[in-house]
Amino acid sequence: MPRPYGLLRAGFPYVKTLGMRRLTNFPVDVAIGREGRLYILCRQESAAALIRRYTVEDEDLGEIGKYGLGDGEMKWPVSIIADADENLYVSDEAAHRVVSYSMEGERLGSWGEHGAGPGQLDRPAGIAFDADENIYVADAMNHRVQKFTKDGRFILGWGSRGRGAGEFDMPYGVAVDDEGFVYAADWRNDRIQKFTAEGEFALAFGSPGSGDGQLDRPSGIDVDSHGDVYVADWRNDRVQLFNHEGRYVQKFLGDASLSKVSREYMLTNASPNRMRDMADLEPQKYLRRPRSVAVDEDGLMFIADNGSYRVQVYRKEAIPLSPREMGPPRRSPTLQQE
């Protein structure tokens, strides 16, 4: 679908919270399946399982995966994606590999070899599919992005350590938009870089800091069908939204309410109810160290709220505009009138 000329940004309201402590402990990423299914990747040592099969309606569908370094196990998982058949691919920075499962949890395979040569990996972090279901990998400690077929055959790679255009200092998140451009969250350089599918530098945006449009250790990243870019601004405890040109649009600080499963739990536990009644509830709604963000085709945005053991959900409300419905660019971007 071609992108609209412009957008009437009507709002981006909070919808709900999913999960709770003991159920979705330390979520680091969310993969979006069909029919409202979600796969919440959690990162906790000695866990019985690390992928929580879930739904948008806050229903638990069971667990996938085991903690460890053996076949089909994960130790330090970072990113999870689902292909067209809803098979799941997970990057593991401890094992320097990508592991795959069926949606029911059957192990399908793994690939990856530790090293610095072409096709080798050193602490792979974010992963993302392109339109052909090739996988781009943020090869963090090799300070580069690499592209593979989904069964692990190396295609190409680019980048080296540095601060210049096309250089990285520990890239962490990666995303591919519907035009084939690749976005990398350049963790230690506190910026986002955009490339063509072949790795040619297109633009960069963001700078170190906590102001609007600034970043402090950006981690996860996603791009929606309008070309809007969502960045999990990890150390600033927020998600920021930029347009396709890298212009800052708005930020999300957190609006969480108790999830459905949390309410059910609280109604069977008198002591936590008393503690919540005595607490200052204002801080409870905010994001704490969000690790990733994922956006579905209906405009739902899922934020892995890592420090609060939950996923916060928002919905984009935007109306596509034609050139006739939107005036020419203005010299000043403010909505305030002189």
Side-chain angles (χ1 to χ4, degrees):
M1 178 183 298
R3 290 184 183 169
Y5 176 80
L7 288 176
L8 172 56
R9 298 181 185 274
F12 216 133
Y14 165 79
V15 176
K16 64 173 66 176
T17 293
L18 305 175
M20 61 175 285
R21 190 173 184 176
R22 301 182 183 87
L23 186 64
T24 52
N25 277 0
F26 302 105
V28 292
D29 202 8
V30 179
I32 299 169
R34 299 184 299 273
E35 299 173 344
R37 287 187 293 272
L38 303 172
Y39 301 89
I40 302 174
L41 181 64
C42 300
R43 182 161 168 168
Q44 51 183 330
E45 294 189 1
S46 304
L50 296 176
I51 302 172
R52 181 67 62 173
R53 299 173 69 239
Y54 224 73
T55 76
V56 177
E57 300 304 319
D58 207 15
E59 297 171 339
D60 180 20
L61 301 179
E63 304 169 334
I64 295 175
K66 295 181 180 179
Y67 176 82
L69 291 172
D71 287 345
E73 296 178 337
M74 298 167 285
K75 188 172 183 180
W76 294 347
V78 176
S79 183
I80 183 170
I81 54 178
D83 69 12
D85 296 320
E86 216 161 320
N87 296 317
L88 308 172
Y89 294 76
V90 180
S91 60
D92 185 341
E93 62 176 335
H96 312 288
R97 67 186 179 191
V98 173
V99 183
S100 58
Y101 303 88
S102 71
M103 61 182 290
E104 291 82 15
E106 176 188 359
R107 178 185 174 273
L108 300 178
S110 63
W111 49 266
E113 178 186 14
H114 188 207
Q120 295 181 317
L121 300 168
D122 192 352
R123 292 182 62 179
I127 55 177
F129 280 124
D130 67 10
D132 298 320
E133 294 195 339
N134 296 310
I135 297 179
Y136 286 88
V137 180
D139 189 9
M141 298 311 294
N142 281 324
H143 310 288
R144 64 189 179 188
V145 172
Q146 297 197 81
K147 180 180 180 181
F148 300 84
T149 63
K150 66 179 181 180
D151 58 1
R153 181 175 58 83
F154 173 72
I155 299 175
L156 61 85
W158 70 88
S160 59
R161 190 169 191 176
R163 300 188 62 84
E167 296 177 330
F168 300 103
D169 194 346
M170 195 176 169
Y172 208 75
V174 67
V176 182
D177 70 15
D178 57 3
E179 295 182 340
F181 286 99
V182 180
Y183 297 75
D186 195 357
W187 171 268
R188 287 183 179 154
N189 283 328
D190 297 314
R191 66 183 179 183
I192 305 301
Q193 295 196 70
K194 178 180 178 181
F195 302 88
T196 68
E198 292 73 36
E200 297 178 6
F201 175 80
L203 64 86
F205 56 92
S207 61
S210 58
D212 291 347
Q214 295 183 315
L215 300 166
D216 193 349
R217 299 302 187 259
S219 51
I221 184 170
D222 202 4
V223 186
D224 70 16
S225 60
H226 298 140
D228 281 346
V229 183
Y230 303 76
V231 181
D233 190 8
W234 181 74
R235 207 147 68 181
N236 280 325
D237 296 311
R238 64 188 181 184
V239 167
Q240 294 197 75
L241 170 60
F242 301 83
N243 75 358
H244 69 282
E245 298 174 332
R247 180 181 62 80
Y248 168 79
V249 176
Q250 69 180 99
K251 59 181 175 285
F252 303 86
L253 302 178
D255 297 276
S257 55
L258 280 179
S259 66
K260 184 180 75 172
V261 294
S262 293
R263 299 176 197 195
E264 293 169 353
Y265 171 81
M266 295 290 284
L267 290 175
T268 64
N269 290 270
S271 180
N273 284 330
R274 176 58 65 186
M275 293 173 63
R276 186 172 177 85
D277 181 67
M278 297 171 63
D280 175 5
L281 295 182
E282 179 71 14
Q284 307 306 313
K285 69 181 183 180
Y286 296 124
L287 295 166
R288 290 194 296 166
R289 297 296 194 262
R291 286 287 295 271
S292 70
V293 57
V295 185
D296 73 8
E297 294 179 352
D298 296 322
L300 285 177
M301 175 177 64
F302 302 89
I303 303 172
D305 192 0
N306 180 265
S308 294
Y309 320 107
R310 64 194 178 192
V311 174
Q312 294 201 40
V313 186
Y314 292 76
R315 183 184 295 278
K316 183 178 188 178
E317 296 178 352
I319 302 170
L321 300 175
S322 68
R324 183 178 59 82
E325 296 170 312
M326 189 172 188
R330 304 285 293 274
R331 286 182 297 174
S332 174
T334 181
L335 294 178
Q336 302 297 322
Q337 300 296 321
E338 296 293 338

